[in-house]
Amino acid sequence: AALIRELVREKTLTLTSGVIVLDFNHAAFHATENYKAEDFEVDLIRALGSVAKVLYEEEGLLSVYVNVQPDDDSDGEDEVMSDEARERKSMIEKEVLIPFSDYELCIKNEGVAKKEAPSTSSATTWSDTEWELQRIIARALLPPPIVGATGSGPNNADLMMGLNTFFLSLSFPKVEDASPYVEKMCQDVDSMEYRVDLLAAAKDYLASNSNDDDSKDDDENCKEKKDPRFDILYQQQRLRVLCRPHAQRAPALPFAGSTIIDDALPIVYTVRTAHQAGTWPDDEAGIQQMFDLLELGLRSAAEVLDVESAWDAQLTDKLLHQSKHRYTSLILGSHHVVGEQVSMDTAVQLYRQCRMDNRAHGAKVVLSITSNENDEDQLAYKASIAASKIEEDVPKIPNIGLILGEDGSYSRILNPRFTPVTHESLPSKAAPGQLTAAEIMAGRLLMGQIPSERYAILGHNIAYSVSPQMQGSAFVAVKLPHTYSRADVETVEEFVEGPIWNDDNFGGCSVTIPHKQNIIPHVDVLTDAAKEIGSVNTVIVKKDKFGTRVLIGENTDWRGIYNPLQRRIGDDAAKSTQYALILGGGGTARAAAYAATKLGLERIYFNRTPAKAMDLAKEFGGVVASNLDKDPESKDSLGAILSQNNGSVKVVISTLPAAAEFQLPEWMLDSNSLPIVFDVNYKPYNTALLLQATEKGCDVVRGSEMLWEQGVGQFELWTGRKAPYGVMKKVVLENCLPSDEEKK
C-alpha cells in the first residue's frame, strides 16, 4: 500500500475514481548510476498484484483492463512505446493485468489528438471507444443467462438464437477487408460470426507461441512489435464499429439509467479447429491455445461463444466454469462431423454431447452425408427434433442442425433458427453449400415454413395508434412476410366473428381500449400476468400437438412500465421504504400496480373515484391516499402515509388522460430527492405533468417509451426471436415527437 501511494505521488500510477493508470514509459523504469530499476519493477508487480487480487478476488469488483497500445507516430519520427516498454507491459500483463481482470478494451491512437482528421469516415474514434466500454460494462451487468430460459429478457438464448435468425460467417483475414460489404450484410442478419481461426492475426498468434525455433527465426522480422493477442481483440472491436451504423436488427442492451444500447450487433466468437471444418491446429498445443483464445472471447464480452464439445474435458470445464461465474456470454456447444456419414443414433448423441452437461445455452451439430438417395440431407434436422424429445427432464435449448457441402443446402432451409449464412455481396462463401439469408427465407416461404401471417390492433377510435407503423416496420426489418392492420370496432364480437380472427394465418393481435377485458372470454388460456392484472393487451396464436389453434391472452403493458423503471431504479427499491404513487384506477393502473410490485416498491393509490383505488389496494396491496396534501396530520393524506412509514415517493405513475392536465402538488417536487415521473400517455409527447416534472429536474418516462417497450414484448412473443429494438423505437418517436407547429 505504501508503494502504491508513492507511485501515485510520483505520477507513475494515476488513481482516480476507481481507475488505475500505469505508464510503462515512466522514468521510474529506467535505471541510472545510482538507481536500480529492476528492484522497482519487482516491487511494483508485487504491489500491483496484491492490490489487484484484493479488489478482484476478495472484493469481487468488476475489473476492466484498458489495454493501450498506440501505434508509432505516422511520420515515423516518434516511437510512442519503446521495445523495453512493450516487454515490460507484456510481463506485467501476464503477472497482474490479465489474471486480475474480467474484461479487456483495446485502444490504439483513438485518444491521441490528431493533427488532421481521419482519412476515412469508418476510422475508430474516441466516441467509438467510449461506446465499446459502455457495451462491455452493459454486458457484464446483465443477469447471467439461464440454460433453457424462455420468455423476455436481454440475455435469452431462446430469442437470441430464435426462429428465422441468421449469423453471417466472415472469412476475411482482416476485418477491414469486410468494410465494403458491411452495410448490405447487416440488413439481412442478426449476428456476425468472428472466425478467429481465419484471421491473419491468428497465424501470428500461433507463431508467437510456437516452440519451433526455425519458425521463430523465419518470422522474426514480421513479428517485431506485433501483439497478435491485442490485434485479435482490437479487430473484433473494429467489426463492431463497422456494423454500428447499419445494425438495424440489433436487440436492446440496457446500460445504465435510461440508456439503451440498440446498435450492438451480436458477435458469435468462433475458433474452429482443423478436423471440425476449420483451420486451427488440433494437436495438444493447438487445443490449449484454442481454449486460451476462447477465454479471450469471454474477455471481449462476446454475445455468443462457440465452444467445440469434443476436446479436453478439464479445459472445457475450466472455461465453462469461468463463463458461468464471471461472464454473461451465451455458450453454443458445437460439433462438426467431416467426411463421413453417421447414424441417426450417433447424431442424437452428438446433440447431447453439445449440451455440455446442461451448461450450454444452445447446441449446434453439423454433419456430412455420402449420398442423398433417401433424404439424408434431413438427418441433422430430424436428429435435432429427436434429441429435444428424448430428454424430457432437462432444460430445452435451441438445437441447430446442418449438413456440410452443396448437398446440405436444403438443411439450411429446414433449420429453423440461428442459421449460418453468406451474403450475395461477398466475393466468396465461408463454406460450400452456404446460402444467403434471402435465399433461405425465399425457400421457407415456398415450402410454407413461414406463412404470411395477419396481425392487427383491436380497439375503437384508434386512428391515432402508432402500433401498425411500429410492428409493420419491425416485420420489414427482419424480412418476415407478415401484415399488421387496424381493427376499429365497437364490440369485440365484431372482430372475433370477422375475417382476421378466423383466418388460418391469424398470428395474433394487440388489444387496446375499450376491449382489454372484453376479449378475455374469447381466448383459451390466460398467462399469470394477464390473470393478475385482469386485462389482455396481446393475443398469441399457438398450435397444440394435434395442430389445433390455441389462443393465449397475455399482458405486456406491465413490461412497458416495468422495463424503463427497472433500468432507472435498479436494486434501490429494496434499500428503504420507497413508494410508487399510482394515479388513476383503470386497466393501465392495474398494470402499473403489478409492475410496481415486481419492482419491489410499496404502492399508494390516488383516484378521484376512491372506490376504484380501493379495489387496486385490495388486489395488489398498498394503501389509498384520500388527497395529495403534505400535512402529516391530515388523515389518509399522502403526507401522512409517508410520515407514518418514514417513506418517500420514488416513482409517480400517472395513468390519467392527458386532457385532465393533472399536475403534482409543488411540495412533492421541492425536495432534494425528486421522484421519477412516468406518464403513460404517448400523445401529446409533453403532457402538463411531464412539463412540470421536467422543469423541476425530475427524470421522466414518457408513454412513447412504454409503447415501444410493450410492443417489443409483443413482437418477441409472436415471432419467437429478438425484436429490432432501434427500428421500433425510431418509428414511435417519429410519430410521437411534436412537430415544429406543436412546439410553438
Side-chain angles (χ1 to χ4, degrees):
L3 178 58
I4 294 294
R5 285 195 295 271
E6 178 66 22
L7 295 173
V8 170
R9 186 161 51 247
E10 296 296 327
K11 306 298 183 185
T12 310
L13 281 176
T14 305
L15 176 58
T16 56
S17 303
V19 178
I20 299 177
V21 181
L22 177 59
D23 180 2
F24 297 105
N25 275 334
H26 195 272
F29 290 111
H30 302 294
T32 64
E33 186 177 344
N34 300 315
Y35 171 68
K36 291 185 177 181
E38 295 85 355
D39 294 341
F40 168 78
E41 286 194 24
V42 171
D43 289 341
L44 172 66
I45 293 174
R46 185 183 298 117
L48 275 178
S50 177
V51 171
K53 184 174 182 179
V54 169
L55 295 176
Y56 182 75
E57 293 185 351
E58 297 181 21
E59 298 296 329
L61 297 181
L62 173 66
S63 178
V64 180
Y65 168 35
V66 181
N67 188 345
V68 182
Q69 189 166 302
D71 290 329
D72 291 341
D73 185 275
S74 58
D75 298 327
E77 297 176 0
D78 298 315
E79 188 175 57
V80 178
M81 186 178 287
S82 66
D83 291 343
E84 293 81 2
R86 292 176 190 275
E87 292 178 10
R88 187 177 301 119
K89 173 177 177 287
S90 178
M91 177 182 64
I92 296 178
E93 272 185 348
K94 292 177 182 177
E95 296 290 332
V96 179
L97 300 176
I98 294 174
F100 298 118
S101 63
D102 297 294
Y103 295 93
E104 194 163 340
L105 171 68
C106 292
I107 300 177
K108 286 190 175 180
N109 291 357
E110 292 85 356
V112 179
K114 301 285 185 180
K115 298 177 183 178
E116 299 177 1
S119 58
T120 62
S121 59
S122 64
T124 305
T125 65
W126 186 249
S127 165
D128 294 319
T129 302
E130 290 179 329
W131 176 89
E132 176 65 7
L133 180 59
Q134 288 183 341
R135 188 200 67 82
I136 288 173
I137 294 173
R139 288 289 313 173
L141 296 180
L142 284 175
I146 298 172
V147 175
T150 58
S152 62
N155 204 21
N156 182 321
D158 188 52
L159 293 175
M160 181 76 77
M161 305 176 193
L163 298 175
N164 299 301
T165 57
F166 304 95
F167 64 90
L168 194 142
S169 305
L170 290 177
S171 57
F172 295 101
K174 294 182 179 179
V175 161
E176 221 61 44
D177 297 339
S179 180
Y181 315 105
V182 166
E183 181 176 0
K184 291 182 178 179
M185 292 189 303
C186 286
Q187 294 173 8
D188 291 341
V189 300
D190 304 276
S191 303
M192 289 286 181
E193 184 179 32
Y194 186 60
R195 281 287 301 271
V196 177
D197 59 300
L198 299 179
L199 294 174
K203 295 180 181 179
D204 295 334
Y205 185 89
L206 284 170
S208 66
N209 289 279
S210 173
N211 292 320
D212 185 339
D213 292 335
D214 293 335
S215 169
K216 288 185 177 181
D217 291 339
D218 292 341
D219 292 330
E220 192 63 39
N221 292 328
C222 70
K223 288 192 295 176
E224 187 178 355
K225 296 185 181 179
K226 280 187 177 181
D227 183 348
R229 181 185 176 281
F230 178 96
D231 196 31
I232 289 168
L233 280 172
Y234 188 79
Q235 285 201 64
Q236 185 186 161
Q237 293 174 198
R238 283 292 299 149
L239 177 58
R240 294 187 186 278
V241 170
L242 294 172
C243 291
R244 272 188 72 191
H246 319 295
Q248 64 174 9
R249 293 166 78 153
L253 176 59
F255 173 53
S258 61
T259 304
I260 286 283
I261 298 173
D262 59 13
D263 54 356
L265 199 69
I267 281 181
V268 181
Y269 183 100
T270 302
V271 186
R272 185 71 65 228
T273 56
H275 282 83
Q276 299 258 321
T279 64
W280 194 261
D282 49 18
D283 56 8
E284 184 176 350
I287 295 304
Q288 175 63 65
Q289 291 170 349
M290 179 193 74
F291 277 96
D292 290 342
L293 287 178
L294 288 173
E295 288 185 24
L296 200 59
L298 291 176
R299 290 178 64 81
S300 72
E303 287 80 0
V304 179
L305 192 73
D306 184 309
V307 181
E308 294 180 358
S309 61
W311 304 116
D312 187 275
Q314 287 186 329
L315 292 174
T316 302
D317 182 71
K318 177 188 173 186
L319 179 76
L320 296 181
H321 180 82
Q322 281 182 301
S323 175
K324 181 178 180 179
H325 292 94
R326 300 294 302 198
Y327 298 96
T328 61
S329 296
L330 297 170
I331 301 298
L332 177 61
S334 69
H335 188 83
H336 291 61
V337 178
V338 181
E340 63 174 314
Q341 184 170 319
V342 299
S343 67
M344 172 67 78
D345 289 344
T346 300
V348 170
Q349 183 57 39
L350 288 174
Y351 277 105
R352 290 180 178 174
Q353 175 182 305
C354 289
R355 294 182 65 93
M356 295 181 166
D357 296 324
N358 296 323
R359 291 185 288 179
H361 305 96
K364 176 186 173 188
V365 173
V366 182
L367 304 175
S368 297
I369 56 175
T370 55
S371 70
N372 197 21
E373 296 178 358
N374 297 302
D375 295 331
E376 282 87 354
D377 56 357
Q378 299 180 33
L379 176 61
Y381 173 67
K382 291 178 179 178
S384 72
I385 296 174
S388 65
K389 290 180 178 179
I390 289 174
E391 298 183 285
E392 295 290 341
D393 57 339
V394 299
K396 294 289 186 293
I397 63 173
N399 281 342
I400 301 157
L402 305 169
I403 301 293
L404 285 169
E406 298 297 339
D407 287 338
S409 294
Y410 180 53
S411 72
R412 299 171 189 272
I413 296 174
L414 281 179
N415 178 63
R417 52 171 78 225
F418 216 47
T419 308
V421 295
T422 184
H423 195 272
E424 53 267 24
S425 67
L426 291 173
S428 62
K429 299 178 180 180
Q434 276 193 342
L435 302 176
T436 67
E439 289 172 329
I440 291 173
M441 291 297 282
R444 290 175 184 174
L445 279 168
L446 288 172
M447 293 172 53
Q449 282 184 246
I450 312 174
S452 179
E453 294 176 341
R454 298 180 69 180
Y455 295 85
I457 179 168
L458 168 63
H460 188 46
N461 296 325
I462 53 173
Y464 66 89
S465 175
V466 180
S467 291
Q469 297 96 307
M470 175 179 66
Q471 299 291 1
S473 296
F475 289 145
V476 170
V478 301
K479 306 296 176 68
L480 286 173
H482 307 328
T483 61
Y484 188 103
S485 59
R486 288 182 178 84
D488 195 327
V489 293
E490 290 188 11
T491 67
V492 167
E493 286 70 27
E494 291 178 67
F495 182 65
V496 300
E497 293 171 4
I500 298 177
W501 183 271
N502 293 288
D503 193 318
D504 289 341
N505 289 333
F506 174 57
C509 63
S510 311
V511 187
T512 188
I513 54 174
H515 301 321
K516 290 186 179 183
Q517 286 78 40
N518 294 336
I519 194 66
I520 291 176
H522 300 281
V523 300
D524 302 306
V525 180
L526 287 177
T527 64
D528 291 341
K531 285 179 186 175
E532 292 191 44
I533 295 169
S535 69
V536 166
N537 84 320
T538 309
V539 175
I540 308 152
V541 179
K542 298 289 185 183
K543 296 286 181 69
D544 65 15
K545 62 182 179 180
F546 303 108
T548 304
R549 187 171 84 165
V550 179
L551 300 170
I552 302 168
E554 174 64 284
N555 190 300
T556 65
D557 279 336
W558 78 272
R559 279 283 178 189
I561 298 170
Y562 174 91
N563 290 350
L565 291 177
Q566 197 279 331
R567 289 193 289 268
R568 290 162 170 85
I569 296 172
D571 298 325
D572 289 348
K575 295 178 181 177
S576 60
T577 306
Q578 295 186 328
Y579 287 92
L581 172 62
I582 299 172
L583 308 172
T588 309
R590 298 175 66 85
Y594 185 84
T597 303
K598 294 290 186 181
L599 288 164
L601 295 167
E602 301 296 327
R603 280 79 61 206
I604 300 175
Y605 308 97
F606 175 71
N607 190 49
R608 291 176 182 176
T609 306
K612 289 187 176 181
M614 288 298 297
D615 288 343
L616 289 171
K618 288 177 183 177
E619 292 195 47
F620 297 98
V623 296
V624 176
S626 59
N627 59 70
L628 300 182
D629 294 345
K630 182 180 181 180
D631 185 3
E633 302 301 323
S634 175
K635 185 179 179 182
D636 296 331
S637 70
L638 176 61
I641 294 170
L642 296 176
S643 177
Q644 291 164 10
N645 296 281
N646 193 28
S648 61
V649 175
K650 182 68 175 178
V651 177
V652 177
I653 307 174
S654 174
T655 68
L656 302 171
E661 296 191 344
F662 173 86
Q663 290 190 323
L664 294 169
E666 287 295 320
W667 70 268
M668 290 187 65
L669 304 177
D670 287 339
S671 67
N672 293 327
S673 179
L674 293 171
I676 300 168
V677 177
F678 193 139
D679 194 321
V680 302
N681 294 286
Y682 65 86
K683 287 188 177 181
Y685 187 73
N686 289 310
T687 62
L689 175 60
L690 290 174
L691 288 171
Q692 178 198 30
T694 301
E695 183 180 344
K696 293 292 185 178
C698 297
D699 189 359
V700 301
V701 185
R702 291 178 167 82
S704 53
E705 188 169 352
M706 176 183 174
L707 175 60
W708 74 65
E709 285 287 347
Q710 64 83 29
V712 164
Q714 290 178 329
F715 180 93
E716 293 180 348
L717 288 167
W718 290 330
T719 64
R721 52 154 297 134
K722 277 290 186 183
Y725 187 92
V727 169
M728 299 177 79
K729 174 182 175 180
K730 180 182 178 183
V731 170
V732 170
L733 290 177
E734 286 174 348
N735 285 271
C736 292
L737 285 170
S739 65
D740 292 338
E741 287 298 316
E742 290 172 321
K743 289 178 183 177
K744 293 177 183 178

